[in-house]
Amino acid sequence: MTQALIIPGTDNSGKPRQDFANQIAALDDAAFVKEAEHRIWLSAYANNNPRSDYHWQADACYDEAQRREKPELYIRAFNNVSAGAQ
């Protein structure tokens, strides 16, 4: 696998955002979809807090799927979360 996304800066706890990028890059596709589902759901849950880490993490999941050249992974995660919200 090629190099993980590069995400500069730190999260709200002071940890490097790059740690999250490395974590999701190391996941296989099935585990990645589950992690993306989790971050998408948390981002939606935190919609009243625009500075929540969950927003950039959900965005990073989208970018990771693009990096893998498998955008369908993020679409699947998004659709799974959306179906559960009904």
Side-chain angles (χ1 to χ4, degrees), residues 2 6 10-11 18 20 25 28 35 49 53-55 61 66-67 72-74 77 82 86:
T2 60
I6 304 299
T10 57
D11 66 14
Q18 189 61 45
F20 183 74
D28 65 28
E35 184 65 24
N49 179 0
D53 285 329
Y54 300 129
H55 303 311
C61 288
Q66 296 296 320
R67 185 192 69 79
E72 66 274 9
L73 297 177
Y74 184 87
S82 296
Q86 297 176 5

